Amino acid sequence: MRRRGDLRRALLAVVGVAATVVAGLVAGPVPASAASAGDCRLPASPGIGNEQEGPTDYHRWLAPQGALRAVFLFVDFSDAPGGAKELAKRRDMFATAPGDWLRTASYGRATLVPTFTTAWARMPQPQSAYAGFNASFAAHRAYMQDAVTASDGAVDFAQFDLVYVVSPRSATVIANSPAFIADPGWGLSADGVELRHGVTLGADVDSWGYKVLNHETGHVFGLPDLYTYGAGWPDLHRPVGGWDLMGLISGPAPDHLAWHKWKMGWLDDTQISCATAHGARKVTLTPLGTATGLKAAVVKVSAQRAIVVENRQADSLDVASPCLHPGVLVYAVDASVGGGNNPVTVLDAQPGSPVDGCGLADAELDNATLTTAGQQVTDPASGVRVTLTGANGAKRTVQTTW
Ligand SMILES: [Zn+2]
């Protein structure tokens, strides 16, 4: 284990050297003293227990790269049978939309290759026996294993990286759609393989639609929840509003933050401009929805915290609602806390000014962006100030001052 970790650090160091040179050429205004992108990564915090902002441990989570082969299992119950029309409707919900979304969000670096069973497989127990299916890992695993075993006659599980279990609307006990992530040795068995990654899709797919699959698959890829566990409405969504789907599943910009795209390997180190020292610098950012160019200016302000600046424009998956104000989004990333405990907080350029007529969950942060030259926002904890200094087409130039 130690040897593998050392090798990974050595590789990062090599990549970091190359990134400094290329970032200087692309960004122009970045001073020669700019740090390499790798210097702005935050460390994993031991003991957090769930997804977090440090490097993802891909021994546990699934690497979001390449063609991911997913099997969708339709399962029903003696006391909650599924209908043929309902199976077709659920299949249509997941047939293309999540794959299109993943391909776009990852700039083509990850794709979903779905396969669907063609009939409901009857579970061995009535739905009532699965009450509390989400109360513990063991209960969730037992539900998943029964679904896999019930479907085994129709599926060669050796062909798949991901397992999605879909229940009918009448199975109200399966109320929500948690991700299943098992450490090696703790997964499901079928066809001589171990299955460690998936999602059980329950009754809430009828309210969230396919977007709940995107959110839960984000957990499978190691991303933390960005809403606040235990908070009331609408404070629940105050950390990031509708700017990232790990904060708001139905968010009007159903994309991932640049920080998470970098964490997942969908952005290269050459697309991140990093500063770790006090001073001012200017960086020109291309929109998050386009594949190329510099995507984020990061100021690492302490061992576990960074300020991130990105350019959010109405394109691709981004800013799909007129409620959101396209512009420069600034947020703080805190690697000392895990999912649900506010690892990301958007810095609001116009605090206390909810956008009328928009979703309650995201209204306060819909106009959090810097939209006009000279406008600025400051991180009170570190004193980092971010100023929008100019625009050229969809590009935005910002100055960070620390
Ligand atoms: Zn979640």
Side-chain angles (χ1 to χ4, degrees), residues 215-216 219 225 227:
H215 174 100
E216 297 302 330
H219 290 314
D225 274 322
Y227 62 90

Side-chain angles (χ1 to χ4, degrees), residues 63 69 72 117 136 156 192 198 204 226 296 303 305 327 368:
R69 304 162 303 167
F72 287 73
T117 56
S136 67
D156 175 8
D204 64 344
L226 299 186
R305 195 164 179 274

Side-chain angles (χ1 to χ4, degrees), residues 51 177-179 215-216 219 223-227 229 245-247 249:
E51 291 82 21
S177 302
H215 174 100
E216 297 302 330
H219 290 314
L223 297 184
D225 274 322
L226 299 186
Y227 62 90
Y229 292 167
L245 77 154
M246 300 312 291
I249 292 171

Side-chain angles (χ1 to χ4, degrees), residues 62 68-75 112-115 117 140-141 143-149 151-152 155-166 177-181 187-191 193-201 213 216-217 220:
L62 181 68
L68 302 170
R69 304 162 303 167
V71 64
F72 287 73
L73 312 177
F74 295 96
V75 301
L112 198 67
V113 184
T115 297
T117 56
H140 198 204
R141 182 179 183 278
Y143 173 60
M144 288 281 285
Q145 183 66 60
D146 277 357
V148 163
T149 303
S151 308
D152 202 9
V155 177
D156 175 8
F157 284 97
Q159 304 301 315
F160 298 103
D161 308 300
L162 273 163
V163 178
Y164 294 107
V165 176
V166 185
S177 302
F180 178 79
I181 301 146
L188 316 167
S189 7
D191 298 317
V193 296
E194 183 181 24
L195 305 160
R196 297 193 297 111
H197 300 110
V199 180
T200 54
L201 294 152
L213 183 152
E216 297 302 330
T217 305
V220 172

